[in-house]
Amino acid sequence: MATAPAKLILCGEHAVVYGRPAIALPLADIRATATVAPLPPGSGTLISAPDLGGQWRVAERPDEPLSGLVMAVIERFGVPVDLEITIRSAIPIASGMGSGAAIATAIVRELLAYSGQTLPPAAISELVYESERGYHGTPSGIDNTVVAFEQPIWFQRRPDLPPLIEPLPIGAPLTLVVGDSGVRSPTRLPVGAVRERWQADPARYEALFDRVGALVAQARAALAEGNACALGPLLDANHELLREIGVSSPELDRLAAAARAAGALGAKLAGAGWGGVMLALTTPEQATTIADALRAAGAANALVTTIAATG
Ligand code: PMV
């Protein structure tokens, strides 16, 4: 069995599509898993996803992004074709937690392990990026990167170069509460809407993206120092900018406000927006109070997670 973690974008989503930096964190305790079992010769390749409500032969749904990924890995790495891949995931779909990238990463790792091979995280990330493109159109690549590397990362696209990917030092453990708005929102919708607005008024959106980029750089310093008190207001400011960019929603605003009122150090929507999750930064002592406040404010779910300090 192979697994891969969920992820959160701590700050910088959307602006990252336009070349500004963003910070993403893996959530080690929320994972997707893939297992492979051989089938009799001539059976072909079957994907079973009991939690996601489906079972299909990759040859019958070649345009489905996971089918495409599986066929590409089998062909490129000489994996035997007669097999059943079973996917399970504890990550809510279309919620900003990287469920698609985690499932794809677990599948790639498991197919490679099944055929006695391994690849470095960068190569796995590239394979997963191809399947993410099938879902999202032109993703920045941050999801597949943080999931495949499985460490906090600084990510920045660069013209004519591969993206800049740097592991981030975390000076002290971070306690986060993740609140799920319960609204499912496919990434490509807000991403497409932002592109239309940017095309209509590039100067305004470039200026907003610059402001996001500046606070992401400040967040990096606060993380390295382990200074949660400095990080909190940066997250609040990022939420405000995401509102101005037009990707928040009444539910996400309500949850962020409820978290702050319950004592969070900062709160923002996380991921593409219009639905999905928000995150609140807190002290460990205050975490349960904030999770309760989020549920009382209508969150479909609220969970507490910790990002470990690095070396
Ligand atoms: O909500 P998610 O996990 O799909 O994250 C989207 C992040 C964006 O910056 C909005 C898009 C991207 O491709 O980076």
Side-chain angles (χ1 to χ4, degrees):
M1 181 177 91
T3 75
K7 73 101 214 323
L8 282 177
I9 298 184
L10 182 70
C11 48
E13 53 274 267
H14 286 288
V16 71
V17 176
Y18 300 83
R20 275 51 163 205
I23 294 174
L25 308 169
L27 302 182
D29 43 4
I30 308 170
R31 306 188 74 89
T33 67
T35 47
V36 165
L39 290 177
S43 307
T45 310
L46 191 68
I47 298 182
S48 298
D51 312 331
L52 309 169
Q55 186 181 64
W56 67 95
R57 283 184 193 287
V58 298
E60 282 162 13
R61 282 171 63 186
D63 297 334
E64 194 281 328
L66 287 180
S67 298
L69 174 72
V70 166
M71 288 191 289
V73 172
I74 285 178
E75 199 182 296
R76 225 178 289 176
F77 298 95
V79 180
V81 291
D82 297 310
L83 46 85
E84 177 174 5
I85 303 167
T86 303
I87 307 161
R88 293 185 187 277
S89 177
I91 310 167
I93 56 163
S95 68
M97 293 181 75
S99 123
I103 290 169
T105 302
I107 290 177
V108 173
R109 286 181 177 160
E110 177 67 354
L111 285 173
L112 291 169
Y114 181 69
S115 53
Q117 303 173 69
T118 50
L119 278 181
I124 293 179
S125 176
E126 254 173 62
L127 287 164
V128 172
Y129 182 71
E130 289 306 314
S131 83
E132 290 276 288
R133 279 164 58 110
Y135 286 115
H136 301 328
T138 52
S140 64
I142 190 169
D143 276 27
N144 47 287
T145 303
V146 65
V147 168
F149 281 76
E150 209 164 333
Q151 46 186 322
I153 56 154
W154 171 272
F155 180 94
Q156 187 165 18
R157 289 176 121 179
R158 298 177 291 188
D160 306 322
L161 281 175
L164 177 68
I165 299 162
E166 290 176 356
L168 276 189
I170 308 286
L174 286 182
T175 307
L176 298 174
V177 187
V178 185
D180 187 347
S181 68
V183 179
R184 296 288 158 256
S185 174
T187 300
R188 65 189 153 71
L189 300 180
V191 169
V194 172
R195 183 157 298 273
E196 278 172 24
R197 289 184 206 133
W198 171 75
Q199 278 163 346
D201 190 353
R204 171 172 152 78
Y205 283 85
E206 287 293 326
L208 287 166
F209 299 149
D210 279 343
R211 288 166 64 194
V212 173
L215 69 82
V216 172
Q218 290 174 269
R220 177 185 192 144
L223 280 175
E225 287 166 10
N227 188 346
C229 292
L231 184 58
L234 297 170
L235 302 183
D236 290 338
N238 196 172
H239 184 77
E240 236 11 79
L241 288 167
L242 287 163
R243 274 168 53 88
E244 281 189 56
I245 290 167
V247 294
S248 193
S249 69
E251 294 84 9
L252 290 165
D253 289 344
R254 187 169 69 236
L255 295 181
R260 289 184 204 114
L265 301 168
K268 65 179 277 289
L269 73 87
W274 283 359
V277 297
M278 48 72 68
L279 61 83
L281 177 67
T282 175
T283 59
E285 297 72 34
Q286 199 68 11
T288 318
T289 308
I290 292 169
D292 290 344
L294 288 174
R295 285 189 206 98
N301 196 4
L303 58 93
V304 179
T305 187
T306 304
I307 308 296
T310 53

